[in-house]
Amino acid sequence: MIRITFLTACVVAALSLSGCKLVKNTPDDEKAVAADASGDDARTDQRIADTFEPTLLPFVREKALEVPVLRSLLSRGLDAAGQAHGNRGAGQGAAWNFALTGTGTVVSAKLDTRARVADLDTDADGVADLTIQLGPVIRGTALRDFAPFYKFDDFRDQIEFAKLGRALNDRISGAIVLPEGDLIGRTMTFTGVVALKSADEVLVMTPISVGVTP
Amino acid sequence: MNIKRRLLITVMALSVFGAASGMAASADTIAIITPSHDNPFFKAEADGAQAKAKELGYDTMVLVHDDDANKQSQLIDTAVAAGVKAIILDNAGADASVAAVQKAKDAGIPSFLIDREITATGVAVSQIVSNNYQGAQLGAEEFVKLMGESGEYAELLGKESDTNAGIRSKGYHDVIDQYPDLKMVAQQTANWSQTEAYTVMESMLQANTGIKGVISGNDTMAMGAWAALEAAGRTDVIVVGFDGSNDVRDSILAGGIKATVLQPAYQQAQLAVTQADQYLKTGSTGLDEKQLMDCVLINGDNAAKLETFALSN
């Protein structure tokens, strides 16, 4: 009697196992994102789709300060400026990130590199005071770290967290179009994010938009 | 065998404990468990934690698990049995350590993890880990600059079982692979080992005479590679390491290895003890469980300020 019950249980178990296999092959289940590292890219794509245009870009535009305003805030201390207008990246030693917008004259530019940059004079004293990254290689994680809605605790690990930073930079990099010829002397409008670890370091911007005139 | 080993460990641990608590028998004890102190990085962690614990009035029980998850499990038992109030742990494997930390938690002992993550949250109170990926990106950016964005290079990989080996390699390639004129002609593990890196570098050089740079997963391998390059008269080759060891600092200052990336091991361990103290006193650290610590690029500009995995201002 016990044996029969046991056999029945086995048969039921076997049947339900094969049932599982059938379910696994339905299209719905194939869309499920793996919880391990193999699902990183899918999760990153989803995050970009959910947040880049709908949330991140408006957030940067809304929070963007004029360069002189940031300078003045920084003169009273980086932490105070950051707490009022910035966001800090995850963890100890991370930079404060600020959104900036404005216009400047290109004083110098380095375009014969994969990590192109233009140095701008934004206060008309003839001296460069802001460096804008123009890609295709964009360094750092300023865009990710400026957004308080990307929290490290929500990520599987530091690799997945880093992948989002890279994906955001790549989105920007793909959108930057520079005019032909020399940039020096031309006017550049910009909106973007700078990361600062100290109040007196060079401002290096990851832009969300740049425009060149004439 | 197993029982004998366990007894031996227990005896060793108790003697450490006994010696530490001999001074002030009433003080609470914090256990500090790391991989072997043979690697100065882990020694710096243990020293940092111990110094901070002492400063805050705790006794310490310092133990090493030698990257053996079974041994780690036994050490946790030992610490729990000895009645420690908190455990500072640089763990012996992201998956294998979850159960050990859970065991301590079940016994009412909070754990504060440093250096390496575990694959579960809600088990440890804090996980303070170096941002190895960010650090690798920093090292790679410097490497790319030193290479002038072009040329043939080789990569020395760390021990495959250590998650940080993979994280660093991925961080390197995240940056370097964006430069199509940089060509990786050789990639091989040297298992974090200096001597192994020496022989691997020798054979890499024989097979690829055009190598212009070497990017290494840690400093001990960078030291081995540099020795092989010197022996072959190839001191023109650009070498970049990772960890921020005093050996590589000295090499940078002498014009050998070009750069490394500091993991602030000493400070990280101190931070873990501070959080443990806060948690024991108030029941909360007031911080997220998972905390990243940024790494810092070390090159000729700041190498002189580096001492035992800490950068002075």
Side-chain angles (χ1 to χ4, degrees), chain B residues 168-190:
Chain B
R168 289 176 194 175
S169 182
K170 286 197 179 84
Y172 286 156
H173 286 281
D174 185 28
V175 172
I176 297 173
D177 294 355
Q178 297 183 72
Y179 295 84
D181 294 338
L182 281 168
K183 293 206 167 43
M184 185 166 75
V185 292
Q187 181 188 42
Q188 203 177 321
T189 183

Side-chain angles (χ1 to χ4, degrees), chain A residues 57-66 84-86 98-100 146:
Chain A
L57 296 184
F59 182 71
V60 173
R61 287 192 205 105
E62 180 203 327
K63 294 278 181 181
L65 306 167
E66 299 283 338
H85 297 277
F98 299 91
L100 282 179
F146 181 65

Side-chain angles (χ1 to χ4, degrees), chain A residues 3 8 11-12 27 49 61 64 121 127 134 136 183 186 206 210:
Chain A
R3 177 168 291 182
T8 313
V11 170
V12 169
R61 287 192 205 105
D121 170 21
V127 181
L134 299 171
L183 289 177
R186 291 172 138 177
T206 301
V210 288

Side-chain angles (χ1 to χ4, degrees), chain B residues 198-232:
Chain B
Y198 186 95
T199 47
V200 168
M201 189 72 244
E202 268 186 327
S203 56
M204 280 178 168
L205 272 177
Q206 282 158 10
N208 308 279
T209 50
I211 283 182
K212 185 175 154 192
V214 177
I215 191 146
S216 168
N218 80 346
D219 276 355
T220 47
M221 295 191 297
M223 289 299 289
W226 181 251
L229 289 164
E230 268 189 317

Side-chain angles (χ1 to χ4, degrees), chain A residues 90-94 113-115 136-137 139-140 151-153 155-159 161-162 166 170 197, chain B residues 117 129-134 141 149 167 170 174 178-180 267 271 288-295:
Chain A
Q92 290 281 319
T113 157
R114 297 276 298 160
V137 177
R139 293 177 179 155
K151 293 179 80 71
F152 179 50
D153 257 2
F155 290 75
R156 212 179 62 82
D157 60 10
Q158 53 182 295
I159 295 182
F161 194 47
R166 171 67 190 278
D170 285 352
K197 288 198 174 186
Chain B
E117 294 168 79
V129 296
S130 296
N131 197 338
N132 277 274
Y133 202 94
Q134 170 263 353
E141 282 167 5
E149 300 188 6
I167 292 177
K170 286 197 179 84
D174 185 28
Q178 297 183 72
Y179 295 84
Q267 196 195 344
L271 197 66
D288 290 340
E289 174 185 339
K290 289 179 86 175
Q291 303 162 48
L292 283 177
M293 267 186 106
D294 273 17
C295 300

Side-chain angles (χ1 to χ4, degrees), chain B residues 16 56 85 109 116 163 196 215:
Chain B
V16 173
L56 294 170
K85 290 289 184 275
I109 316 290
R116 303 172 182 167
T163 52
E196 211 170 319
I215 191 146

Side-chain angles (χ1 to χ4, degrees), chain A residues 109-121:
Chain A
K110 193 165 171 16
L111 302 178
D112 60 344
T113 157
R114 297 276 298 160
R116 297 178 299 176
V117 291
D119 299 316
L120 266 59
D121 170 21

Side-chain angles (χ1 to χ4, degrees), chain A residues 151-211:
Chain A
K151 293 179 80 71
F152 179 50
D153 257 2
D154 298 338
F155 290 75
R156 212 179 62 82
D157 60 10
Q158 53 182 295
I159 295 182
E160 195 191 46
F161 194 47
K163 281 183 174 170
L164 176 70
R166 171 67 190 278
L168 292 169
N169 288 355
D170 285 352
R171 280 296 295 262
I172 294 302
S173 178
I176 293 175
V177 182
L178 292 179
E180 292 288 316
D182 205 354
L183 289 177
I184 293 169
R186 291 172 138 177
T187 300
M188 194 177 268
T189 57
F190 55 83
T191 302
V193 179
V194 297
L196 291 178
K197 288 198 174 186
S198 67
D200 53 359
E201 72 190 74
V202 182
L203 301 178
V204 179
M205 171 177 288
T206 301
I208 60 165
S209 65
V210 288

